[in-house]
Each structure stands twice: as C-alpha cells, then as structure tokens.
C-alpha cells in the first residue's frame, strides 16, 4: 500500500491555524483543515483519467454558476474539485495510481438499501434537476470516458463474442440466462436508433444513476448533490431514468439470489417518476416521454447482459465477492426484466396520469 499521506501532500488543501482556548502559559492553535474525499480513479476502466477530470471540472464549473444564479449553495449542491499544488485536477503517481480530491459535502447521508418512497421522490427530483441544469451545456465539449457505454446493441455483440469464446468454460453453467438474453435482444436497439435518427436528443447525462450516487440532506431528506460524475457523457435522458429505477424500484438488492424476493415495485416507480417529472416534464420530447417505462426494462436488460458477459469472460470488470456472483446478478436482473415487461402498460398509465 502506498503512503496516502504523501499523496495528500500533492493537493492544495487549505489548513488554517487559529489561536485556541484561553491558556496563560503555552501558545495553543487549532489546525483547521477542510474535510475532503480522496479517490483513486480506476484506470483499468477509465483509461484516460486526465480527460475524465476535464469533463468533471467543466461540468461542475458550469453547475456552480447555475446554482449561484439560482441563489443556491454551489459548495453543497455540486462537487468541488481540489486542485494539486501545480494546478492539476488529479495527481498521477504512476499509470495505475491516479488520485483526485473533492471537498467533503457535510450533513448529508447516502442511501444504499431501505429506500423509502419519499427518498425515491427526492432522488427523482435530484437526477431530474441535474439533467435540467445541464440542458444548455455544450454536449460536444465532453469526452467519452467509456466508449459506447449505453450502446445496448454493442453490449449484445460483446455478449455474443463472450459466448463464442467461452474463455473460462462457463457457458454450460449459464445456458438459461444466455437463452433469455439472446431471445430478448430484439428490443436492444430502440433507444440508440431514436438517438441516431434524431427523434430524441443527445443530452448531458450522468449514466450511472444509482440512488447511492446522490447525497441527501441529513435532516430534510432532500436531494443535495449528484455525485460520481465519471460517466457524465452525451447520452439519452432515458438512460438516467431507466438506470435509476432498475435499482430504485426493485424490491431486492441487485445480487439477491432468492428470485421470489425480486419484483418491480410500481409504487416506487410512481414515486421516483413524480419527482423526476416535476423537473423534466417540460423538457422531454414526446418520444422520450413515451419510452420512460420501456427505458427501465432496457437498462435492466443491459445491466443483466453486462453481468452475464463479465461472468463468461471470467469476472474481469465488476468486483465479485463469490464465485458465481456475476451470474447471480444477471439472473436477478433478468427476473426483473420479465416482471417489468408484465407491468409495462400499468407503468405507462402512471406516466400518463402525471402529464
Ligand atoms: P464509486 O464510483 O466507487 O461508486 P463514489 O464517487 O460514488 O464512488 O463515492 C463513494 C461514496 O463516497 C458515495 O456513495 C458517498 O457516500 C461518498 N462520497 C463521495 N464523494 C463525496 C463528497 N464529496 N462528500 C461526501 N461524501 C462523498
Ligand atoms: C457500476 O461504480 P458503480 O457501482 O456506481 C457500473 C454501472 C453499473 C453498476 C451495477 C462505470 O457502478 O454502470 O450499472 O456498477 N459503473 C461503471 O451495479 O461501469
Ligand atoms: Mg458511486
């Protein structure tokens, strides 16, 4: 393990000395150092961290001025990148070890499990507002940090290649899941086709809208700040909406193995959608609006095939905690896909009632 204190010395961290107490003998000072987050960027996945940090710097600066104009608190409502002493956005120790520092956002909480409908409504407002505030950000200024991240048909191609190669001899263990994935592949190109034809717009999207990528106010429970901006790229609003509900409206964790526990909760969908549309209703074009329920199915399917592909490739992408973890995750996501499909018209009705 490298010396992380040495890493921290590279960053411009404010440290103020303030006289402390009322002692009559010694000179006493309190060293006030701003609380920060240190992250090592995963350079296996994000191969160009400098470009990634350029995206984050541009997006957060843009948000900062929007938040200020709206009378908000930019130190709380968006991430603040702490520069290195030589003015860079990250510190490259070597090719595997690249670090960044953000100011710590105080008095907030993360929600991992046990989300309430109220949490989901606030998450919808948070992600919707994030998209709305970035509506006039110049999309072409952004680097693609992971190529074709939500290009579902290319994800299907990657799965087919993994099946053909069967690198670690797991194909036979995943027959049912492979069949489900390939049988369902027909709908994979719906969103990308519409983007490419110009029926729906490319927007600045977050692309990883898990509920734990929002910080909530500790007291009020309101969404304070959208974090984890590594995948902010040009994309579709549908990706963010669908991905948030993939986990947000599941009754179980993403890797729950008891599939009877894995269901799509339409009331959770309603709660999130209510929050999301309160921000985005006037911005969405009709095709985006019509595809909201479908997007949840699509993103859940995409997530399932990504887990399955990684399983067949020998677990090289997602961290695993047990041998068949990625297969279990894929199974879980496919169970959810089937459940979402059976509820799609009900979800459509919920959306119509909110217009
Ligand atoms: P990962 O990409 O590994 O998911 P995140 O950027 O989401 O990493 O950070 C992991 C966790 O650290 C978050 O869920 C949140 O709890 C906490 N966190 C990250 N950034 C901040 C911050 N600026 N202030 C307070 N907490 C933070
Ligand atoms: C990864 O880093 P984390 O846990 O927020 C992944 C997402 C997946 C998610 C599945 C860059 O997100 O795309 O949906 O796992 N992020 C990346 O849990 O691949
Ligand atoms: Mg995260």
């Amino acid at each position: 393990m490298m010396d992380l204190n040495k890493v921290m010395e590279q960053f411009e961290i404010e440290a103020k000395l303030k006289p402390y107490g009322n002692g009559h003998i010694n000179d006493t000072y309190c060293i006030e150092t701003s609380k920060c987050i240190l992250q090592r960027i995963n350079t296996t996945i994000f191969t160009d961290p400098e470009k990634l940090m350029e995206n984050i710097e541009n997006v957060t600066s843009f948000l900062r001025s929007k938040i200020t104009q709206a009378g908000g608190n930019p130190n709380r409502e968006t991430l603040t990148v702490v520069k290195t002493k030589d003015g860079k956005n990250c510190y490259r120790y070597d090719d595997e070890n690249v670090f960044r520092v953000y100011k710590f956002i105080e008095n907030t909480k993360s929600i991992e499990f046990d989300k309430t409908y109220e949490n989901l409504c606030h998450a919808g407002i948070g992600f919707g507002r994030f998209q709305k505030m970035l509506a006039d950000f110049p999309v072409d200024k952004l680097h693609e940090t992971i190529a074709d991240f939500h290009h579902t048909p290319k994800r299907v191609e990657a799965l087919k290649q993994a099946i053909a190669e069967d690198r670690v001899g797991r194909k036979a263990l995943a027959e049912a899941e492979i069949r489900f994935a390939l049988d369902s592949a027909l709908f994979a190109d719906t969103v990308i086709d519409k983007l490419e034809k110009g029926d729906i717009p490319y927007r600045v999207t977050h692309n990883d809208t898990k509920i734990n990528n929002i910080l909530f106010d500790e007291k009020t429970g309101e969404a304070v700040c959208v974090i984890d901006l590594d995948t902010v790229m040009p994309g579709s609003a549908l990706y963010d909406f669908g991905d948030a509900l993939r986990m947000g409206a599941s009754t179980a964790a993403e890797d729950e193995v008891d599939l009877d526990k894995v269901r799509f909760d339409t009331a959770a969908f309603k709660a999130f959608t209510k929050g999301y549309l309160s921000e985005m209703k006037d911005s969405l074009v009709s095709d985006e609006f019509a595809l909201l329920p479908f997007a949840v199915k699509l993103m859940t399917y995409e997530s399932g095939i990504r887990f399955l592909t990684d399983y067949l490739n020998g677990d090289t992408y997602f961290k695993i905690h047990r041998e068949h973890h990625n297969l279990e995750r894929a199974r879980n996501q496919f169970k959810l896909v089937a459940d979402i499909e059976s509820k799609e018209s009900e979800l459509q009705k919920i959306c119509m009632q909110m217009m």
Side-chain angles (χ1 to χ4, degrees):
M1 186 67 184
M2 65 194 340
D3 184 351
L4 292 179
N5 288 306
K6 288 259 179 292
V7 170
M8 283 312 296
E9 282 170 16
Q10 306 300 318
F11 287 89
E12 197 67 67
I13 306 288
E14 299 159 30
K16 284 187 205 142
L17 285 182
K18 279 202 174 165
Y20 194 79
N22 296 308
H24 290 141
I25 308 297
N26 297 309
D27 297 334
T28 308
Y29 297 90
C30 174
I31 308 169
E32 288 182 349
T33 309
S34 59
K35 196 167 164 187
C36 292
I37 288 277
L38 171 70
Q39 288 184 320
R40 190 170 80 94
I41 301 174
N42 185 328
T43 51
T44 311
I45 291 178
F46 299 106
T47 51
D48 195 337
E50 278 82 7
K51 285 213 172 111
L52 177 153
M53 288 310 293
E54 200 181 305
N55 277 359
I56 294 181
E57 157 101 60
N58 285 334
V59 164
T60 53
S61 306
F62 186 91
L63 288 174
R64 182 165 289 277
S65 64
K66 285 263 157 143
I67 293 162
T68 309
Q69 276 165 29
N73 177 354
N75 295 325
R76 200 165 153 72
E77 293 164 39
T78 188
L79 287 171
T80 306
V81 177
V82 176
K83 301 252 181 183
T84 63
K85 285 180 176 152
D86 54 359
K88 300 206 172 97
N89 287 326
C90 55
Y91 167 61
R92 183 180 278 273
Y93 175 84
D94 59 25
D95 284 351
E96 275 88 53
N97 293 288
V98 182
F99 296 88
R100 66 172 162 223
V101 171
Y102 291 125
K103 288 203 173 150
F104 189 89
I105 301 174
E106 305 266 9
N107 307 318
T108 61
K109 61 181 177 194
S110 292
I111 296 167
E112 301 279 339
F113 309 104
D114 301 328
K115 58 214 177 265
T116 63
Y117 295 147
E118 201 188 343
N119 297 150
L120 285 165
C121 182
H122 286 309
I125 295 171
F127 284 127
R129 186 174 295 156
F130 180 82
Q131 252 171 25
K132 196 162 93 175
M133 280 196 292
L134 290 168
D136 53 346
F137 181 94
V139 183
D140 49 1
K141 229 176 149 181
L142 287 174
H143 306 289
E144 214 180 359
T145 54
I146 300 180
D148 299 316
F149 191 58
H150 285 314
H151 192 301
T152 321
K154 288 197 180 167
R155 296 284 187 189
V156 173
E157 286 314 307
L159 170 65
K160 286 183 179 163
Q161 192 176 339
I163 299 167
E165 288 174 5
D166 193 18
R167 278 185 225 169
V168 287
R170 282 174 164 177
K171 196 167 109 180
L173 297 171
E175 263 177 22
E177 291 70 28
I178 291 173
R179 200 171 328 110
F180 181 90
L182 298 181
D183 286 351
S184 311
L186 281 175
F187 61 69
D189 50 10
T190 309
V191 170
I192 197 79
D193 270 4
K194 287 206 177 280
L195 276 174
E196 285 173 356
K197 282 193 198 131
D199 294 344
I200 58 174
Y202 277 99
R203 300 175 186 271
V204 178
T205 44
H206 182 280
N207 296 306
D208 189 3
T209 46
K210 285 186 184 176
I211 196 166
N212 68 3
N213 284 332
I214 288 201
L215 298 176
F216 296 87
D217 188 281
E218 217 166 48
K219 290 208 181 82
T220 66
E222 283 171 9
V224 172
C225 182
V226 172
I227 59 166
D228 205 346
L229 304 179
D230 297 332
T231 48
V232 171
M233 284 184 275
S236 165
L238 294 166
Y239 298 154
D240 284 359
F241 180 84
D243 198 28
L245 282 159
R246 170 183 80 79
M247 277 183 93
S250 175
T251 51
E254 184 182 65
D255 57 357
E256 172 61 56
V257 289
D258 179 354
L259 297 186
D260 288 339
K261 291 188 182 151
V262 183
R263 279 171 290 106
F264 190 80
D265 178 359
T266 52
F269 175 91
K270 190 172 179 180
F272 181 91
T273 306
K274 184 173 166 223
Y276 179 80
L277 288 179
S278 72
E279 294 289 329
M280 285 295 286
K281 195 158 83 173
D282 298 332
S283 315
L284 294 181
V285 302
S286 60
D287 275 8
E288 285 173 319
F289 185 76
L291 286 170
L292 291 174
F294 170 81
V296 187
K297 181 172 78 170
L298 181 73
M299 297 310 291
T300 310
Y301 170 76
E302 185 187 279
S303 163
I305 61 173
R306 289 177 65 196
F307 290 137
L308 183 57
T309 305
D310 199 33
Y311 180 70
L312 295 171
N313 284 340
D315 311 313
T316 60
Y317 189 93
F318 295 105
K319 284 183 190 150
I320 53 158
H321 305 296
R322 42 186 190 263
E323 194 187 353
H324 301 294
H325 207 164
N326 271 319
L327 179 61
E328 289 160 7
R329 288 169 173 149
R331 247 176 223 150
N332 172 308
Q333 297 294 284
F334 291 156
K335 160 75 200 279
L336 210 49
V337 169
D339 201 36
I340 297 166
E341 197 156 63
S342 73
K343 292 170 179 164
E344 240 174 304
S345 58
E346 191 183 337
L347 302 179
Q348 205 70 58
K349 270 191 210 133
I350 293 172
C351 289
M352 295 307 287
Q353 281 161 6
M354 284 184 198
M355 276 317 266

